[in-house]
Amino acid sequence: MGLMFGFDRLVGWAVRPGRSRAPAPNVKGGGLVFDPKGMERELDRMVDLGDLARALPRAELLRFRGAAPTDSSKPQHLTPPSLAAVTIKDLCQDSRKARPGSVFFAIPGVEQDGAAFASEAVGRGAVAVVACRPLPVPVPLLVVDDVRAALSRVASIFYGQPSRVLPVAGITGTNGKTTVAHLLAACLQDTHGPVGILGTLGGRLGRDQKDQEIRVSLSNTTPGALEIHRLLREMLSNHCGSAVLEVSSHALDQGRVQDVRFQAAVFTSLSQDHLDYHGSMEAYARAKSRLFGLLERGGVAVLPADDPEAAVMRSQVPPGIRLITWALDKPKNPAECHLQGEILHQGPRGTSLRIHAREGMADLELGLIGVHNARNAMAALAAAMAFKVPLLFAVDRLGQAIPVAGRLEEMAGEGRPFPIFVDYAHTPDALEKACQAVRALGPKKLRLVFGCGGDRDRLKRKIMGKIAAQNADHIVVTNDNPRTESPESIIQMILEGVEQREGLLVELCPDRGEAIRHVLDQAQEGDAVLIAGKGHERGQVIGKETVPFDDREEVRAWLRRN
């Protein structure tokens, strides 16, 4: 129960220990769902600074004397009861968002230290500051070892620990998170009510009073702890029956989801990415595996039995967790595998699968192409089992699924002489799988537009160049969010991996829009075009600025002219 022990009136909309949860709704799937309406009475209290201090029992409570303290001022030590008269109305980590009643968390950053903005936050009305060292501010100061961890704990409580009420599934892996998240949501939404999603495509928070879906944009695949708990609380208020979170390795390493109570954790895949941050594949895998250590007792870990990388994830699964495994190929120990899938047919409009489960057998007509999407569907199906969704019902919902935005999204439509795909592939493994999926359709030539991001893992650029040369017949290397790096130097690093062979045409065009138009102009009947790297994105990051740009809009504009 963590922070809830011993506190009768601790923050936010806190659910007191010992209270029984509302009974699960009578739905086809049953499982890990509670009725949010039954919790509303429990979720309506706020917090004061005394509660905040109790929530951070190891914090040093200080206050500098005088209205305008200096660095040489001597602070006085405070006790939680002395702070009880001050009500907290908001939490923030951006001083520009501070308002009267806010608590400001001064998080040390890579480029800027939040401590430098503490005075600004106080000037805007912050009633307390949480920092990792004493700061001369004229409001109560809580000094902690880890400000991020403190924010995560307090945010969860302030917003009523929503993941105690709302069943949450976390999905991690290098590739496939977004597709698996949306496929799983499709399986859950009819049996468990509206499904909230946080991920690369933004947030879906349920439906409003006019039955319109509530969507928000997110700056990261996995938001910061403060935003996560606020959005989970909003999902609960909008009567969502469950939530699905894409959980990045950065978020796990930085503790953004440390206080989210996960009922299910799903692993999709592991391949090279983010080595600029993690330093090694071993460290990257360890970061991913932390999700499984966050599972609530009685939760479910969903792992591929045919992927050796899943062993690291499995090693972190704590006692009291149920394991559901799946495989697309025959696993080493088939008796231990809950779901097995086999591909019967691959075509331009989808993939036919046969699913073997302990509950029986079912055929799935998946409207997504590529072996990797067949694996994504298997992961989503296994995760749906964790929420006790019946096999045939889940298969039916997956059969109705359409490609997720920017994930092998086919743009040309019927009647065009060649298909055009836009995909988010920006890692070596994702690029290879996207190329293989399109190549499996049997085009005369595969024409590929791609680049690599700036200020990111440089080691993958040469690898991606090699993969492109091995799989495509015509390559146009271009920009893909160069950020502060020289676009020309990025392109040259990609070209170092390109091995010339007979029939391969390689062209360079830093202007991405021009590159897309050029390859479409060159495509002939029977060819296929793959535009990889940006997918759903609507901006191109050049320097420190993001300029409007959308691969899909470029294709639509070309189609209108042709």
Side-chain angles (χ1 to χ4, degrees):
M1 302 296 288
L3 294 173
M4 295 307 298
F5 281 128
F7 302 107
D8 179 63
R9 53 189 292 276
L10 189 65
V11 284
W13 301 272
V15 182
R16 298 181 185 178
R19 297 285 183 99
S20 61
R21 286 170 164 168
N26 183 22
V27 294
K28 297 178 183 178
L32 305 172
V33 172
F34 309 98
D35 181 6
K37 293 181 180 179
M39 300 306 303
E40 287 301 320
R41 188 177 57 187
E42 299 288 342
L43 308 178
D44 61 0
R45 289 182 292 274
M46 290 294 292
V47 64
D48 58 42
L49 290 187
D51 293 326
L52 174 66
R54 295 184 187 96
L56 302 173
R58 296 185 179 181
E60 185 179 11
L61 308 182
L62 305 175
R63 182 165 189 168
F64 285 84
R65 292 183 175 88
T70 65
D71 291 338
S72 61
S73 301
K74 291 184 178 180
Q76 67 179 109
H77 288 263
L78 304 174
T79 60
S82 68
L83 302 174
V86 182
T87 300
I88 294 175
K89 297 181 179 179
D90 195 14
L91 309 176
C92 69
Q93 63 188 79
D94 184 339
S95 60
R96 295 168 296 184
K97 296 181 180 180
R99 62 185 180 89
S102 296
V103 174
F104 175 67
F105 289 77
I107 295 178
V110 176
E111 297 182 357
Q112 294 180 315
D113 187 348
F117 303 93
S119 295
E120 179 186 349
V122 172
R124 292 176 181 269
V127 294
V129 172
V130 180
C132 59
R133 65 178 186 274
L135 301 175
V137 290
V139 295
L141 175 72
L142 290 83
V143 180
V144 297
D145 292 331
D146 188 335
V147 183
R148 290 183 187 274
L151 176 57
S152 177
R153 290 162 66 96
V154 172
S156 174
I157 300 171
F158 183 78
Y159 287 107
Q161 301 201 47
S163 59
R164 286 187 61 184
V165 183
L166 184 70
V168 179
I171 301 174
T172 196
T174 306
N175 301 310
K177 295 188 294 296
T178 301
T179 297
V180 172
H182 285 76
L183 291 178
L184 175 56
C187 293
L188 296 178
Q189 63 186 3
D190 287 333
T191 58
H192 294 71
V195 181
I197 299 178
L198 299 181
T200 308
L201 298 185
R204 287 166 40 178
L205 310 180
R207 312 190 79 83
D208 61 20
Q209 294 180 347
K210 296 181 179 179
D211 200 35
Q212 298 296 311
E213 187 171 54
I214 302 170
R215 295 188 177 225
V216 295
S217 60
L218 302 174
S219 57
N220 294 304
T221 294
T222 312
L226 178 57
E227 193 171 7
I228 286 176
H229 293 288
R230 178 179 63 79
L231 294 174
L232 288 175
R233 168 61 196 174
E234 190 167 341
M235 292 177 191
L236 193 59
S237 299
N238 295 331
H239 309 298
C240 286
S242 55
V244 181
L245 270 61
E246 296 180 44
V247 187
S248 68
S249 60
H250 290 69
L252 288 159
D253 186 66
Q254 295 169 9
R256 297 182 211 164
V257 295
Q258 191 65 35
D259 291 274
V260 176
R261 299 177 176 222
F262 290 98
Q263 279 72 46
V266 184
F267 170 68
T268 60
S269 65
L270 188 76
S271 60
Q272 182 173 329
D273 200 12
H274 304 305
L275 296 191
D276 55 312
Y277 179 88
H278 295 287
S280 68
M281 285 299 295
E282 292 74 19
Y284 181 37
R286 285 196 301 272
K288 292 286 189 188
S289 71
R290 290 177 187 172
L291 175 63
F292 294 86
L294 298 176
L295 279 166
E296 286 279 277
R297 188 172 183 82
V300 182
V302 179
L303 297 170
D306 56 358
D307 186 348
E309 299 294 349
V312 179
M313 313 300 144
R314 191 166 185 166
S315 69
Q316 296 302 308
V317 176
I321 300 301
R322 189 159 61 100
L323 190 65
I324 294 180
T325 58
W326 61 271
L328 189 60
D329 300 317
K330 290 184 178 180
K332 293 181 180 179
N333 299 306
E336 298 180 2
C337 193
H338 296 82
L339 282 174
Q340 293 185 53
E342 58 176 315
I343 295 177
L344 303 179
H345 175 71
Q346 295 186 68
R349 298 300 170 194
T351 308
S352 299
L353 292 163
R354 178 156 292 165
I355 310 297
H356 302 272
R358 296 175 183 178
E359 294 81 356
M361 186 189 75
D363 286 342
L364 168 60
E365 294 297 328
L366 184 68
L368 284 71
I369 68 169
V371 174
H372 66 293
N373 274 323
R375 295 186 66 82
N376 290 336
M378 291 296 297
L381 188 58
M385 292 178 62
F387 286 85
K388 301 188 184 302
V389 178
L391 174 66
L392 293 179
F393 187 90
V395 167
D396 178 70
R397 289 300 176 266
L398 291 177
Q400 299 177 38
I402 60 175
V404 177
R407 271 64 177 175
L408 279 180
E409 186 175 356
E410 212 284 310
M411 304 296 299
E414 298 286 350
R416 288 286 179 172
F418 52 85
I420 305 167
F421 296 94
V422 172
D423 193 77
Y424 190 52
H426 60 280
T427 69
D429 182 66
L431 182 63
E432 183 172 37
K433 285 180 167 57
C435 287
Q436 289 173 349
V438 177
R439 178 64 81 182
L441 303 179
K444 293 179 181 178
K445 289 185 178 182
L446 172 55
R447 300 180 186 270
L448 171 65
V449 178
F450 87 106
C452 290
D455 300 335
R456 298 294 187 268
D457 184 2
R458 298 186 175 196
L459 297 177
K460 69 181 182 182
R461 296 171 185 173
K462 183 176 179 179
I463 300 172
M464 292 177 69
K466 182 176 181 179
I467 288 170
Q470 290 173 339
N471 288 276
D473 304 292
H474 177 196
I475 301 169
V476 181
V477 185
T478 187
N479 276 351
D480 183 348
N481 297 329
R483 299 183 177 86
T484 63
E485 280 195 72
S486 162
E488 290 75 16
S489 66
I490 295 173
I491 290 173
Q492 288 303 314
M493 293 180 74
I494 294 172
L495 292 177
E496 290 176 9
V498 174
E499 298 177 1
Q500 282 290 347
R501 57 177 173 80
E502 185 177 354
L504 175 63
L505 173 62
V506 180
E507 298 180 293
L508 315 181
C509 183
D511 185 316
R512 191 173 180 95
E514 185 178 341
I516 291 172
R517 292 188 293 273
H518 171 71
V519 81
L520 292 174
D521 286 339
Q522 296 299 308
Q524 303 295 315
E525 185 173 356
D527 292 348
V529 174
L530 173 60
I531 303 165
K534 295 184 66 62
H536 65 284
E537 292 181 349
R538 297 181 177 181
Q540 177 89 296
V541 186
I542 301 174
K544 297 287 187 178
E545 301 295 326
T546 300
V547 298
F549 186 87
D550 188 328
D551 284 352
R552 297 170 299 169
E553 287 302 320
E554 291 293 329
V555 173
R556 291 181 185 119
W558 184 88
L559 289 171
R560 287 194 294 269
R561 294 192 300 270
N562 295 272

